[in-house]
Amino acid sequence: QVQLVESGGGLVQAGGSLRLSCAASGRTFSNYAMGWFRQAPGKEREFVVGISWSGFSTYYADSVKGRFTISRDNAKNTVYLHMNSLKPEDTAVYYCAVGLILDLKDPRQHATDSWRYWGQGTQVTVSS
């Protein structure tokens, strides 16, 4: 059974930093991309960032470009999200996702139904 377990969320002041982690287990994830989505209250879940299996390809939503950095450790089946210069509008539940994504730059691949496995989510709250 595939499991994605996120950790690292919490409460931080605007301008602060957090690091999220997501550990995947239950199968081999060769050739799978990993990514992060977020969902704020009353809003749809949105794509934040994705990283290819090799780690050489990444794609960031414009709203987080230059502030967030994604990385992965395939030996640990873990993906990380380093979030800097956090803003109150970054407040959301952050979800880890894994999927067979051919082109991270393709907007169609940013839809939630393009990603196969999901974590339970971790809350990030940024106070002003």
Side-chain angles (χ1 to χ4, degrees):
Q1 181 179 356
V2 173
Q3 279 192 315
L4 304 182
V5 179
E6 300 106 332
S7 60
L11 173 64
V12 63
Q13 288 189 331
S17 300
L18 280 175
R19 188 185 81 158
L20 306 183
S21 300
C22 172
S25 62
R27 64 158 294 155
T28 301
F29 293 99
S30 298
N31 298 318
Y32 277 78
M34 301 184 81
W36 292 91
F37 286 69
R38 67 186 181 186
Q39 188 167 18
K43 295 188 176 181
E44 292 189 352
R45 193 172 299 188
E46 65 174 359
F47 174 84
V48 176
V49 59
I51 185 168
S52 63
W53 161 253
S54 66
F56 291 146
S57 178
T58 59
Y59 189 82
Y60 294 85
D62 287 344
S63 58
V64 305
K65 202 173 295 182
R67 300 187 298 121
F68 290 12
T69 302
I70 190 171
S71 62
R72 66 188 291 171
D73 183 340
N74 288 339
K76 297 180 180 179
N77 279 338
T78 299
V79 63
Y80 305 96
L81 183 62
H82 299 259
M83 305 184 293
N84 296 321
S85 302
L86 283 161
K87 305 175 181 180
E89 50 264 44
D90 294 318
T91 294
V93 177
Y94 283 71
Y95 296 90
C96 172
V98 173
L100 282 171
I101 305 298
L102 297 179
D103 182 2
L104 284 168
K105 296 181 179 61
D106 184 351
R108 294 170 295 181
Q109 304 285 288
H110 301 162
T112 55
D113 58 7
S114 293
W115 297 74
R116 183 170 181 181
Y117 303 109
W118 292 86
Q120 81 288 350
T122 185
Q123 177 70 46
V124 171
T125 302
V126 184
S127 63
S128 57

